[in-house]
Amino acid sequence: MNKLMKTVTIAMVFVLLTVLTACGSKESADGGNGAGKKASLDFVWFSDGNEGEIMKSIINDYQTKNPNITVNLIEVPYKDLGTKLKTMISGGKPPALARISTTELGAFANQAIDLSASNGGLDSYTAQYVDSIKPFYVVNGKAVAAPMDVTANGLIYNKTLFDKAGVKVPTSQDNIWTWDEFSAALKQVMDKGGAKYGMVWDYTPQRWSTLLYQFGGSMMSEDGTKATINNEAGVKAAEYFKKLHDDGIMPTSVWLGGDNPNNLFRTGSVAAHFAGNWMIGNYKDIQNFQWGVTYMPKGTTRSSVPGGKFAMAFQKSGVEKEATDFINYISSKEVNAKYCTDALFLSPRKDNSKLEYAFGKDMMELFSNELNNTVPAAAQDWSRQTIVPKFSNDLKTTLSDIIGGKTSAKDGMDKVAQLIDKAIASEKK
């Protein structure tokens, strides 16, 4: 081969390699179908019920529409969620996505992608969701997660016992009971309906705090700088809670003895259960009596206490845009409606307040109404999850001491207020 031919051959090989390399790069970038960059998204997930299977179905639909994207659902027990995420982040390999509860949300807010940036800004983004949960997912002016489902506290009642006693429950927001009217109604159900107890109330400070907010109180000031639980409203809420026990409307065996309120309500001998919307699914199998949901009574105002689960996308995953697109998909009106109806969840979206549930549609709408009439203080307090865990157990045991007569409502709330102030101060160090 002479020198000229050799030069031509090398040049042709170079051109051919360039063309092949270009084709190979295009295939990698387009996924071979022109649909965009191939990406694999790790989605750390925990389940309380069947929602993991529902999410797998949603992922399959998404992958069919976006064949360049693979979503790997990494399922972990809820108790391991925080440790799993911390390990991945500290190891330099954060997941693309995670399902987050209100308890963990604050701990990972600094690593989260601001979802409002791809959705027209913060006001536009938050306008999609019920106002009462905003303090949970808006941190330092950024939307650090997308609400997926919400919870609300409300009132489940034994319809059979109420009917037997001739007591009608409120049928609209216009005739909601006051707490004194509700207490009188429960006594009538006990006297004429044969109920052993008027009501059971979950043994948690979160559920008790519903009464606190209805009486106009809060655990902390709006700016989170000091305790307010021991003001006049807080003390009255604690005193009224004790009175419900003293009057025999509520059994002491739940808050002083550890009895399970769910089991007591299932016996059919309790007129009402003060619980969360998730009990609708739990009580589906009750056969020995009819039950329903009605409006909670009010104090100086109406209020529930919100909670929920969220989806978070993480910075430095290498697939930030794809993760954000996926969250925008699963939190859209149509997909969120499927997720919430199949799992029997309340939707956080304002345009999904009325969904076609296969069971309990009217009951879910009542819980949704409670959420829409919730004071801002409820979410402001419970979103401060670096402070609340430092006193919540003491609040629970103090309420038990108040019920048991070991301390007065004022002294008990003063004690809890000191613990709250101490927890707030520790945050500033």
Side-chain angles (χ1 to χ4, degrees):
M1 184 179 296
N2 61 36
K3 187 176 180 180
L4 176 61
M5 285 295 292
K6 188 176 181 179
T7 301
V8 170
T9 302
I10 291 173
M12 290 178 65
V13 170
F14 178 79
V15 170
L16 181 61
L17 286 173
T18 301
V19 170
L20 289 174
T21 300
C23 289
S25 297
K26 184 176 187 304
E27 183 176 5
S28 175
D30 294 347
N33 57 16
K37 186 178 74 174
K38 281 187 176 180
S40 180
L41 314 181
D42 287 340
F43 192 175
V44 178
W45 182 272
F46 68 92
S47 291
D48 297 317
N50 65 340
E51 64 269 33
E53 295 304 312
I54 297 165
M55 182 50 64
K56 288 177 184 176
S57 172
I58 290 172
I59 289 172
N60 286 335
D61 290 344
Y62 185 77
Q63 291 178 155
T64 300
K65 298 172 183 172
N66 301 273
N68 54 314
I69 303 294
T70 301
V71 181
N72 305 311
L73 206 63
I74 302 172
E75 296 187 79
V76 299
Y78 175 67
K79 64 181 179 61
D80 297 333
L81 176 68
T83 302
K84 176 73 174 178
L85 293 176
K86 287 176 183 175
T87 301
M88 295 178 80
I89 292 169
S90 63
K93 295 182 178 178
L97 306 148
R99 187 186 191 209
I100 293 282
S101 76
T102 54
T103 304
E104 287 83 17
L105 211 157
F108 298 101
N110 289 337
Q111 287 81 40
I113 292 172
D114 180 6
L115 297 172
S116 67
S118 60
N119 285 280
L122 190 61
D123 290 342
S124 176
Y125 188 71
T126 57
Q128 303 174 91
Y129 302 107
V130 292
D131 298 331
S132 58
I133 58 170
K134 186 175 176 181
F136 286 117
Y137 69 93
V138 176
V139 179
N140 297 326
K142 298 179 180 178
V144 300
M148 291 294 296
D149 67 271
V150 288
T151 59
N153 297 341
L155 189 63
I156 298 171
Y157 74 105
N158 183 319
K159 188 173 186 301
T160 300
L161 291 178
F162 272 72
D163 287 347
K164 187 176 178 182
V167 177
K168 302 292 184 185
V169 301
T171 53
S172 80
Q173 300 181 76
D174 300 327
N175 58 359
I176 290 174
W177 284 311
T178 65
W179 267 100
D180 286 342
E181 291 169 341
F182 180 50
S183 295
L186 290 176
K187 286 179 179 177
Q188 190 173 337
V189 177
M190 294 169 69
D191 293 341
K192 297 182 178 179
K196 184 177 181 180
Y197 295 109
M199 180 167 52
V200 286
W201 196 305
D202 288 355
Y203 182 46
T204 80
Q206 195 265 13
R207 231 75 81 233
W208 171 79
S209 69
T210 314
L211 191 65
L212 174 71
Y213 301 119
Q214 290 175 353
F215 275 56
S218 61
M219 297 195 296
M220 289 168 265
S221 59
E222 186 175 348
D223 60 4
T225 58
K226 63 179 180 180
T228 54
I229 199 167
N230 59 336
N231 65 19
E232 184 179 356
V235 173
K236 280 187 176 180
E239 287 174 340
Y240 202 89
F241 197 56
K242 173 176 169 55
K243 184 175 186 297
L244 291 169
H245 288 84
D246 290 346
D247 290 349
I249 291 174
M250 293 212 291
T252 57
S253 61
V254 175
W255 278 71
L256 300 184
D259 267 1
N260 186 324
N262 308 353
N263 294 340
L264 289 173
F265 185 75
R266 281 178 172 277
T267 65
S269 62
V270 178
H273 183 187
F274 205 92
N277 61 285
W278 53 89
M279 292 309 298
I280 293 176
N282 183 288
Y283 285 156
K284 278 174 65 176
D285 63 345
I286 287 179
Q287 300 290 326
N288 53 323
F289 61 90
Q290 291 186 310
W291 59 277
V293 173
T294 187
Y295 295 93
M296 285 191 291
K298 61 183 179 182
T300 57
T301 187
R302 294 181 64 192
S303 187
S304 182
V305 179
K309 306 295 190 304
F310 304 78
M312 177 179 281
F314 289 85
Q315 302 170 14
K316 300 180 180 178
S317 69
V319 285
E320 290 89 338
K321 181 183 182 307
E322 291 81 1
T324 302
D325 290 345
F326 179 73
I327 283 189
N328 289 339
Y329 173 78
I330 62 175
S331 58
S332 64
K333 181 180 187 297
E334 293 75 17
V335 178
N336 179 257
K338 170 182 169 50
Y339 177 71
C340 289
T341 50
D342 289 356
L344 201 57
F345 287 153
L346 286 175
S347 172
R349 294 191 60 95
K350 292 177 180 175
D351 49 9
N352 278 342
S353 61
K354 294 187 177 183
L355 296 174
E356 294 302 319
Y357 296 98
F359 176 84
K361 179 177 182 292
D362 293 342
M363 292 187 277
M364 294 294 279
E365 287 179 8
L366 265 168
F367 271 97
S368 183
N369 180 272
E370 299 288 6
L371 205 56
N372 289 332
N373 287 279
T374 293
V375 297
Q380 286 167 3
D381 280 343
W382 288 99
S383 65
R384 296 185 171 111
Q385 283 297 318
T386 57
I387 297 174
V388 171
K390 295 176 180 174
F391 68 84
S392 58
N393 276 335
D394 291 291
L395 171 57
K396 184 167 67 173
T397 55
T398 299
L399 287 166
S400 296
D401 287 345
I402 292 169
I403 294 167
K406 292 182 179 178
T407 186
S408 69
K410 181 67 171 71
D411 289 347
M413 292 297 104
D414 282 346
K415 173 189 167 186
V416 175
Q418 290 175 2
L419 294 171
I420 293 174
D421 284 334
K422 183 178 178 182
I424 293 172
S426 70
E427 286 292 297
K428 299 176 181 176
K429 292 181 179 177

